[in-house]
Coordinates of all heavy atoms in Angstrom, one line a residue:
V18 N 112.2 88.5 126.5 CA 111.0 89.2 126.4 C 110.8 90.1 127.7 O 110.4 91.3 127.6 CB 109.8 88.3 126.2 CG1 108.4 89.0 126.4 CG2 109.8 87.6 124.8
V19 N 111.0 89.5 128.8 CA 110.9 90.3 130.1 C 111.8 91.5 130.1 O 111.4 92.6 130.4 CB 111.1 89.4 131.3 CG1 111.3 90.2 132.6 CG2 110.0 88.4 131.5
E20 N 113.0 91.3 129.7 CA 114.0 92.4 129.7 C 113.6 93.5 128.6 O 113.8 94.7 128.9 CB 115.4 91.9 129.5 CG 116.0 91.0 130.6 CD 115.9 91.6 132.0 OE1 116.1 92.8 132.1 OE2 115.5 90.9 132.9
L21 N 113.1 93.0 127.5 CA 112.7 94.0 126.5 C 111.6 94.8 127.0 O 111.6 96.1 126.8 CB 112.2 93.2 125.2 CG 113.3 92.7 124.2 CD1 112.7 91.7 123.2 CD2 114.0 93.8 123.5
Q22 N 110.6 94.2 127.6 CA 109.4 94.9 128.1 C 109.9 95.9 129.2 O 109.5 97.1 129.2 CB 108.4 94.0 128.6 CG 107.7 93.2 127.5 CD 106.5 92.4 128.0 OE1 106.5 91.8 129.0 NE2 105.3 92.5 127.3
N23 N 110.8 95.4 130.1 CA 111.3 96.3 131.2 C 112.1 97.5 130.6 O 112.2 98.5 131.3 CB 112.2 95.5 132.1 CG 111.4 94.6 133.0 OD1 110.1 94.7 133.1 ND2 112.0 93.6 133.6
S24 N 112.6 97.3 129.4 CA 113.4 98.4 128.8 C 112.5 99.3 127.9 O 113.0 100.1 127.2 CB 114.5 97.9 128.0 OG 115.3 97.0 128.7
G25 N 111.2 99.1 127.9 CA 110.3 99.9 127.2 C 110.0 99.5 125.8 O 109.4 100.3 125.0
Y26 N 110.3 98.3 125.4 CA 109.9 97.9 124.0 C 108.6 97.2 124.0 O 108.2 96.6 125.0 CB 111.0 96.9 123.5 CG 112.3 97.5 123.2 CD1 113.3 97.4 124.1 CD2 112.6 98.1 122.0 CE1 114.6 97.9 123.9 CE2 113.8 98.6 121.7 CZ 114.8 98.5 122.7 OH 116.1 99.1 122.4
D27 N 107.9 97.3 122.9 CA 106.7 96.5 122.6 C 107.2 95.2 122.1 O 108.1 95.2 121.3 CB 105.9 97.2 121.5 CG 104.6 97.8 122.1 OD1 104.3 97.6 123.3 OD2 103.9 98.5 121.3
V28 N 106.5 94.1 122.5 CA 107.0 92.8 122.1 C 105.9 92.0 121.4 O 104.8 92.0 122.0 CB 107.6 92.0 123.3 CG1 108.0 90.6 122.8 CG2 108.8 92.7 123.9
V29 N 106.2 91.4 120.3 CA 105.3 90.4 119.7 C 106.1 89.1 119.6 O 107.3 89.1 119.2 CB 104.7 90.9 118.4 CG1 105.8 91.4 117.4 CG2 103.9 89.8 117.7
I30 N 105.4 88.0 120.1 CA 106.1 86.7 120.2 C 105.5 85.8 119.1 O 104.3 85.7 118.9 CB 105.9 86.1 121.5 CG1 106.6 86.9 122.6 CG2 106.3 84.6 121.6 CD1 106.2 86.4 124.1
I31 N 106.4 85.1 118.4 CA 106.0 83.9 117.6 C 106.6 82.7 118.2 O 107.8 82.7 118.5 CB 106.4 84.0 116.1 CG1 105.6 85.1 115.4 CG2 106.3 82.7 115.4 CD1 106.0 85.3 113.9
D32 N 105.8 81.6 118.5 CA 106.3 80.4 119.0 C 105.4 79.3 118.5 O 104.2 79.5 118.5 CB 106.3 80.5 120.6 CG 107.3 79.5 121.2 OD1 107.1 78.3 121.0 OD2 108.2 79.9 121.9
N33 N 106.0 78.1 118.2 CA 105.1 77.0 117.8 C 104.8 76.0 119.0 O 104.1 75.0 118.8 CB 105.7 76.2 116.6 CG 107.0 75.4 117.0 OD1 107.4 75.5 118.1 ND2 107.5 74.7 116.1
L34 N 105.3 76.4 120.2 CA 105.0 75.6 121.4 C 105.6 74.2 121.3 O 105.2 73.3 122.0 CB 103.5 75.5 121.7 CG 102.8 76.9 121.9 CD1 101.3 76.7 122.2 CD2 103.5 77.7 123.1
S35 N 106.5 73.9 120.4 CA 107.1 72.6 120.3 C 107.9 72.2 121.4 O 108.1 71.1 121.8 CB 107.9 72.4 119.0 OG 109.0 73.2 119.0
N36 N 108.6 73.2 122.1 CA 109.4 73.0 123.2 C 109.2 74.0 124.3 O 110.1 74.4 125.0 CB 110.9 73.0 122.7 CG 111.8 72.3 123.7 OD1 111.4 71.6 124.7 ND2 113.1 72.6 123.6
S37 N 107.9 74.5 124.4 CA 107.6 75.5 125.3 C 106.1 75.4 125.7 O 105.4 74.7 125.0 CB 107.9 76.9 124.8 OG 107.1 77.1 123.6
K38 N 105.7 76.1 126.7 CA 104.3 76.0 127.2 C 103.7 77.3 127.1 O 104.3 78.4 127.4 CB 104.3 75.5 128.6 CG 104.8 74.1 128.8 CD 104.3 73.4 130.1 CE 104.6 72.0 130.1 NZ 105.4 71.6 131.3
I39 N 102.4 77.3 126.7 CA 101.6 78.6 126.6 C 101.5 79.3 127.9 O 101.4 80.5 128.0 CB 100.2 78.3 126.0 CG1 99.5 79.6 125.6 CG2 99.4 77.4 126.9 CD1 100.2 80.4 124.5
E40 N 101.6 78.6 129.0 CA 101.5 79.2 130.4 C 102.6 80.2 130.6 O 102.4 81.2 131.4 CB 101.6 78.1 131.5 CG 100.4 77.2 131.6 CD 100.4 76.1 130.6 OE1 101.4 75.8 129.9 OE2 99.3 75.5 130.4
V41 N 103.7 80.1 129.9 CA 104.8 81.0 130.0 C 104.4 82.4 129.7 O 104.9 83.4 130.2 CB 106.0 80.6 129.1 CG1 107.2 81.6 129.2 CG2 106.5 79.2 129.6
L42 N 103.4 82.5 128.7 CA 102.9 83.9 128.3 C 102.3 84.6 129.5 O 102.5 85.8 129.8 CB 101.9 83.7 127.2 CG 101.4 84.9 126.5 CD1 102.6 85.7 125.8 CD2 100.3 84.6 125.5
D43 N 101.5 83.8 130.3 CA 100.9 84.4 131.5 C 102.0 84.7 132.6 O 101.9 85.7 133.3 CB 99.9 83.5 132.1 CG 98.7 83.3 131.2 OD1 98.4 84.3 130.5 OD2 98.1 82.2 131.2
Q44 N 103.0 83.9 132.7 CA 104.0 84.1 133.6 C 104.8 85.4 133.3 O 105.1 86.2 134.2 CB 105.0 82.9 133.7 CG 104.4 81.6 134.0 CD 103.8 81.6 135.5 OE1 102.8 82.2 135.8 NE2 104.6 81.1 136.4
I45 N 105.1 85.6 132.0 CA 105.8 86.8 131.6 C 104.9 88.0 131.9 O 105.4 89.0 132.5 CB 106.0 86.8 130.0 CG1 107.0 85.7 129.7 CG2 106.4 88.2 129.5 CD1 107.2 85.5 128.2
T46 N 103.6 87.9 131.6 CA 102.7 89.0 131.9 C 102.6 89.3 133.4 O 102.6 90.5 133.8 CB 101.2 88.6 131.4 OG1 101.3 88.1 130.1 CG2 100.3 89.8 131.5
S47 N 102.7 88.3 134.2 CA 102.6 88.6 135.7 C 103.9 89.2 136.2 O 103.9 89.9 137.2 CB 102.2 87.3 136.5 OG 103.3 86.5 136.7
I48 N 105.0 89.0 135.5 CA 106.3 89.7 135.9 C 106.3 91.1 135.4 O 106.6 92.0 136.2 CB 107.5 89.0 135.3 CG1 107.6 87.5 135.8 CG2 108.8 89.8 135.6 CD1 108.7 86.7 135.1
T49 N 105.8 91.4 134.2 CA 106.0 92.7 133.6 C 104.7 93.6 133.7 O 104.7 94.8 133.3 CB 106.4 92.6 132.1 OG1 105.4 92.0 131.4 CG2 107.7 91.9 132.0
N50 N 103.6 92.9 134.0 CA 102.3 93.6 134.0 C 101.9 94.0 132.6 O 101.1 95.0 132.4 CB 102.2 94.8 134.9 CG 102.2 94.4 136.4 OD1 101.6 93.4 136.7 ND2 103.1 95.0 137.2
K51 N 102.4 93.4 131.6 CA 102.1 93.8 130.2 C 102.1 92.5 129.4 O 103.1 91.8 129.3 CB 103.1 94.8 129.7 CG 102.6 95.5 128.5 CD 103.5 96.6 128.1 CE 103.0 97.1 126.7 NZ 104.0 97.5 125.9
K52 N 100.9 92.2 128.8 CA 100.9 91.0 128.0 C 101.5 91.2 126.6 O 101.0 92.0 125.9 CB 99.4 90.5 127.9 CG 99.3 89.1 127.3 CD 97.9 88.5 127.5 CE 97.9 87.1 127.1 NZ 96.9 86.3 127.7
P53 N 102.5 90.4 126.2 CA 103.0 90.5 124.9 C 102.0 90.0 123.9 O 101.3 89.1 124.2 CB 104.3 89.7 124.9 CG 104.4 89.1 126.2 CD 103.2 89.4 127.0
E54 N 102.0 90.5 122.7 CA 101.2 89.9 121.6 C 101.8 88.5 121.3 O 103.0 88.4 121.4 CB 101.4 90.7 120.3 CG 100.3 91.7 120.0 CD 100.7 92.4 118.7 OE1 100.4 91.9 117.6 OE2 101.3 93.5 118.8
F55 N 100.9 87.6 121.0 CA 101.4 86.2 120.8 C 100.7 85.6 119.5 O 99.5 85.7 119.4 CB 101.1 85.4 122.0 CG 101.4 83.9 121.7 CD1 102.8 83.5 121.6 CD2 100.4 83.0 121.6 CE1 103.1 82.1 121.3 CE2 100.7 81.6 121.4 CZ 102.0 81.2 121.2
Y56 N 101.5 85.0 118.7 CA 101.0 84.2 117.6 C 101.7 82.8 117.6 O 102.9 82.7 117.7 CB 101.4 84.9 116.2 CG 100.7 86.2 116.1 CD1 101.3 87.4 116.6 CD2 99.5 86.3 115.4 CE1 100.7 88.6 116.4 CE2 98.9 87.5 115.3 CZ 99.5 88.7 115.8 OH 98.9 89.9 115.7
Q57 N 100.8 81.8 117.6 CA 101.3 80.4 117.5 C 101.5 80.1 116.0 O 100.6 79.8 115.3 CB 100.3 79.4 118.1 CG 100.9 78.0 118.1 CD 100.1 77.0 118.9 OE1 99.1 77.3 119.6 NE2 100.4 75.7 118.7
I58 N 102.8 80.2 115.6 CA 103.1 80.0 114.2 C 104.3 79.1 114.2 O 105.3 79.2 115.0 CB 103.4 81.3 113.5 CG1 102.2 82.2 113.4 CG2 104.1 81.1 112.1 CD1 102.4 83.6 112.8
D59 N 104.3 78.1 113.2 CA 105.5 77.3 113.0 C 106.2 78.0 111.8 O 105.7 78.2 110.8 CB 105.1 75.9 112.6 CG 106.3 74.9 112.6 OD1 107.3 75.3 112.0 OD2 106.2 73.9 113.2
L60 N 107.5 78.3 112.1 CA 108.2 79.1 111.1 C 108.6 78.3 109.8 O 109.1 78.9 108.9 CB 109.5 79.7 111.7 CG 109.2 80.7 112.8 CD1 110.5 81.2 113.5 CD2 108.5 82.0 112.3
R61 N 108.3 77.0 109.8 CA 108.5 76.3 108.6 C 107.3 76.6 107.6 O 107.3 76.2 106.5 CB 108.5 74.8 108.9 CG 109.8 74.4 109.5 CD 109.8 73.0 110.1 NE 108.8 72.8 111.1 CZ 108.6 71.7 111.8 NH1 109.3 70.6 111.5 NH2 107.7 71.6 112.7
D62 N 106.3 77.2 108.2 CA 105.1 77.5 107.4 C 105.2 78.9 106.8 O 104.9 79.9 107.3 CB 103.8 77.5 108.3 CG 102.5 77.7 107.6 OD1 102.6 78.2 106.4 OD2 101.5 77.5 108.2
R63 N 105.7 78.9 105.5 CA 106.0 80.1 104.8 C 104.9 81.1 104.7 O 105.0 82.3 104.8 CB 106.5 79.7 103.4 CG 107.6 80.5 102.9 CD 108.0 79.9 101.6 NE 109.1 80.6 101.0 CZ 109.9 80.1 100.1 NH1 109.7 78.9 99.7 NH2 110.9 80.8 99.7
N64 N 103.7 80.5 104.4 CA 102.5 81.3 104.2 C 102.1 82.0 105.5 O 101.7 83.1 105.5 CB 101.3 80.4 103.7 CG 101.6 79.9 102.3 OD1 102.3 80.5 101.6 ND2 101.0 78.8 102.0
A65 N 102.2 81.3 106.6 CA 101.8 81.8 107.9 C 102.8 83.0 108.2 O 102.3 84.0 108.7 CB 101.9 80.8 109.0
I66 N 104.0 82.9 107.9 CA 105.0 84.0 108.2 C 104.6 85.2 107.3 O 104.6 86.3 107.8 CB 106.5 83.6 107.9 CG1 106.8 82.3 108.6 CG2 107.4 84.7 108.2 CD1 108.2 81.7 108.2
H67 N 104.3 84.9 106.1 CA 103.9 86.0 105.1 C 102.7 86.7 105.7 O 102.7 87.9 105.7 CB 103.6 85.3 103.8 CG 103.5 86.3 102.7 ND1 104.6 87.0 102.1 CD2 102.4 86.9 102.1 CE1 104.1 87.8 101.2 NE2 102.8 87.8 101.2
S68 N 101.7 86.0 106.1 CA 100.5 86.6 106.6 C 100.8 87.4 107.9 O 100.2 88.5 108.1 CB 99.4 85.6 107.0 OG 99.2 84.7 105.9
F69 N 101.7 86.9 108.7 CA 102.0 87.6 109.9 C 102.6 89.0 109.6 O 102.2 90.0 110.1 CB 103.1 86.8 110.7 CG 103.7 87.6 111.9 CD1 103.0 87.8 113.1 CD2 104.9 88.3 111.7 CE1 103.6 88.6 114.1 CE2 105.5 89.0 112.7 CZ 104.8 89.2 113.9
F70 N 103.5 89.0 108.6 CA 104.2 90.3 108.3 C 103.2 91.2 107.5 O 103.4 92.4 107.4 CB 105.5 90.1 107.5 CG 106.6 89.7 108.4 CD1 107.1 88.4 108.5 CD2 107.3 90.7 109.1 CE1 108.1 88.1 109.3 CE2 108.3 90.4 110.0 CZ 108.8 89.0 110.1
D71 N 102.2 90.6 106.9 CA 101.1 91.5 106.2 C 100.4 92.3 107.2 O 99.9 93.4 106.9 CB 100.1 90.6 105.5 CG 100.6 90.2 104.1 OD1 101.5 90.9 103.6 OD2 100.0 89.3 103.5
T72 N 100.3 91.8 108.5 CA 99.4 92.5 109.4 C 100.3 93.2 110.5 O 99.7 94.0 111.3 CB 98.4 91.6 110.1 OG1 99.2 90.5 110.7 CG2 97.4 91.0 109.1
T73 N 101.5 92.8 110.7 CA 102.3 93.4 111.8 C 103.6 94.0 111.3 O 104.3 93.3 110.5 CB 102.7 92.2 112.8 OG1 101.5 91.4 113.0 CG2 103.2 92.7 114.1
S74 N 103.9 95.2 111.7 CA 105.2 95.7 111.3 C 106.1 95.9 112.6 O 105.6 96.2 113.6 CB 105.1 97.0 110.6 OG 104.6 98.0 111.4
V75 N 107.3 95.5 112.4 CA 108.2 95.5 113.6 C 109.5 96.3 113.2 O 109.9 96.4 112.0 CB 108.6 94.1 114.0 CG1 107.4 93.3 114.5 CG2 109.3 93.3 112.9
D76 N 110.2 96.7 114.2 CA 111.5 97.5 114.0 C 112.7 96.6 114.1 O 113.7 96.9 113.6 CB 111.6 98.5 115.1 CG 110.5 99.5 115.1 OD1 110.5 100.4 114.2 OD2 109.5 99.4 116.0
G77 N 112.5 95.4 114.7 CA 113.7 94.5 114.8 C 113.2 93.1 115.1 O 112.0 92.9 115.6
I78 N 114.1 92.1 114.9 CA 113.7 90.7 115.2 C 114.8 90.1 116.0 O 116.0 90.3 115.7 CB 113.5 90.0 113.8 CG1 112.3 90.6 113.1 CG2 113.3 88.5 114.1 CD1 112.1 89.9 111.7
I79 N 114.4 89.4 117.0 CA 115.4 88.5 117.8 C 114.9 87.1 117.5 O 113.8 86.7 117.9 CB 115.4 88.9 119.3 CG1 115.7 90.4 119.5 CG2 116.5 88.0 120.0 CD1 115.8 90.8 121.0
H80 N 115.8 86.3 116.9 CA 115.4 85.0 116.4 C 115.9 83.9 117.3 O 117.1 83.5 117.1 CB 115.9 84.9 115.0 CG 115.5 83.6 114.3 ND1 114.2 83.1 114.3 CD2 116.3 82.7 113.6 CE1 114.2 81.9 113.6 NE2 115.4 81.7 113.2
F81 N 115.1 83.4 118.2 CA 115.5 82.3 119.0 C 115.0 80.9 118.5 O 115.6 79.9 118.8 CB 115.0 82.4 120.4 CG 115.5 83.5 121.2 CD1 114.8 84.7 121.5 CD2 116.8 83.5 121.7 CE1 115.3 85.7 122.2 CE2 117.3 84.5 122.5 CZ 116.6 85.6 122.7
A82 N 113.9 81.0 117.8 CA 113.2 79.7 117.4 C 114.1 78.8 116.7 O 114.5 79.1 115.6 CB 111.9 80.1 116.6
A83 N 114.4 77.7 117.3 CA 115.2 76.6 116.7 C 115.2 75.4 117.6 O 114.9 75.5 118.8 CB 116.7 77.2 116.6
S84 N 115.6 74.3 117.0 CA 115.8 73.1 117.8 C 117.2 73.1 118.4 O 118.1 73.6 117.7 CB 115.5 71.8 117.0 OG 114.2 71.9 116.5
K85 N 117.4 72.5 119.6 CA 118.7 72.7 120.2 C 119.3 71.4 120.9 O 120.3 71.5 121.6 CB 118.6 73.8 121.2 CG 117.6 73.5 122.3 CD 117.7 74.5 123.5 CE 116.8 74.1 124.6 NZ 116.9 74.9 125.7
A86 N 118.7 70.3 120.6 CA 119.2 69.1 121.2 C 120.3 68.4 120.3 O 120.0 67.9 119.2 CB 118.1 68.1 121.6
V87 N 121.5 68.4 120.8 CA 122.6 67.9 120.0 C 122.4 66.5 119.5 O 122.5 66.1 118.3 CB 124.0 68.0 120.8 CG1 125.1 67.5 120.0 CG2 124.2 69.5 121.1
G88 N 122.0 65.6 120.5 CA 121.9 64.2 120.2 C 120.7 63.9 119.2 O 120.9 63.2 118.2
E89 N 119.6 64.7 119.4 CA 118.5 64.5 118.4 C 118.9 65.0 117.0 O 118.4 64.4 116.0 CB 117.3 65.4 119.0 CG 116.1 65.3 118.2 CD 115.0 66.3 118.6 OE1 115.3 67.5 118.8 OE2 113.8 65.9 118.7

Side-chain angles (χ1 to χ4, degrees):
V18 169
V19 166
E20 296 306 320
L21 280 167
Q22 290 189 315
N23 286 344
S24 306
Y26 291 98
D27 252 351
V28 177
V29 49
I30 295 173
I31 288 181
D32 200 300
N33 69 356
L34 302 179
S35 66
N36 195 17
S37 59
K38 295 203 170 123
I39 189 64
E40 290 77 18
V41 174
L42 191 61
D43 293 331
Q44 300 295 79
I45 292 172
T46 311
S47 83
I48 296 171
T49 62
N50 291 317
K51 197 170 171 217
K52 191 164 189 161
E54 258 180 86
F55 172 69
Y56 294 88
Q57 184 175 349
I58 292 175
D59 190 311
L60 294 174
R61 290 169 295 183
D62 182 348
R63 215 174 184 161
N64 294 333
I66 305 173
H67 191 77
S68 310
F69 168 83
F70 280 102
D71 272 344
T72 54
T73 315
S74 66
V75 298
D76 299 286
I78 298 178
I79 305 180
H80 180 51
F81 292 107
S84 300
K85 60 170 188 178
V87 176
E89 184 187 44

